[in-house]
Amino acid sequence: MLRSVLGTTALALLTSLGLPGPAEASAPSPAPARYTDPLAGLQEHPEWGSITGVDGPLRKGCKPYGYSYAVTPPEGVWAIEVYITGPGLTPLAGGAFLDGYDPLTGTGSYKLCRNTTRSGTFTIQAKLSVDDGYGHITEGKLPADTFVLTKKKKRHHHHR
């Protein structure tokens, strides 16, 4: 019961934010008019783990990009919500991992389309929520990580 309550809560939150959860939401929710940081006001807990983006090329078309996470959560049932923002704090993607469904260390992926995404510095952040089984939920954030996705430069050949 506890896991389903936490899982339902995390999935409802992700769906309300328009972010893909463990299963794709059936109907997209409208994007918020103005971006507000979902992690604002949360205390950072480096001892709870890390989330790491991967530098690389911003490839043609719509492609998956990866990241890794490792958590050592406090005692209880945990959930991680992942948020990825692009240059100019544009919210781009997200995901979730849930205790009982996902390991403490793993990888995730998100999809970006080059024609709608600027190259530059991206930020990946994660919120960790833990339910102690007695109705008390502890929330905090993992240290943010930045990574760079760049468009390849076209080579110009000069003929002599």
Side-chain angles (χ1 to χ4, degrees):
M1 176 66 181
L2 180 62
R3 179 174 294 139
S4 65
V5 169
L6 186 60
T8 302
T9 302
L11 188 57
L13 176 62
L14 291 168
T15 303
S16 72
L17 293 171
L19 299 176
E24 290 292 322
S26 57
S29 54
R34 207 175 49 152
Y35 179 69
T36 53
D37 184 353
L39 306 179
L42 289 179
Q43 186 175 344
E44 188 171 287
H45 289 275
E47 73 279 11
W48 288 358
S50 63
I51 186 143
T52 308
V54 179
D55 293 340
L58 187 55
R59 302 183 306 267
K60 282 184 182 177
C62 297
K63 304 283 192 237
Y65 297 84
Y67 59 90
S68 61
Y69 71 93
V71 293
T72 308
E75 200 61 37
V77 178
W78 58 269
I80 309 169
E81 298 159 46
V82 178
Y83 302 91
I84 298 167
T85 53
L89 286 180
T90 305
L92 295 171
F97 298 94
L98 300 172
D99 188 8
Y101 299 96
D102 297 298
L104 290 169
T105 300
T107 58
S109 68
Y110 59 97
K111 189 177 280 189
L112 290 181
C113 298
R114 189 165 98 171
N115 62 345
T116 58
T117 306
R118 278 191 357 227
S119 59
T121 302
F122 293 72
T123 302
I124 186 166
Q125 302 178 87
K127 174 181 171 181
L128 179 63
S129 304
V130 179
D131 188 324
D132 68 2
Y134 300 99
H136 182 257
I137 296 179
T138 302
E139 295 181 333
K141 61 184 175 182
L142 302 180
D145 185 43
T146 57
F147 59 100
V148 177
L149 295 177
T150 55
K151 288 184 183 173
K152 284 192 170 185
K153 304 274 188 256
K154 287 184 179 174
R155 290 188 178 174
H156 297 285
H157 297 285
H158 298 284
H159 298 288
R160 293 183 191 267

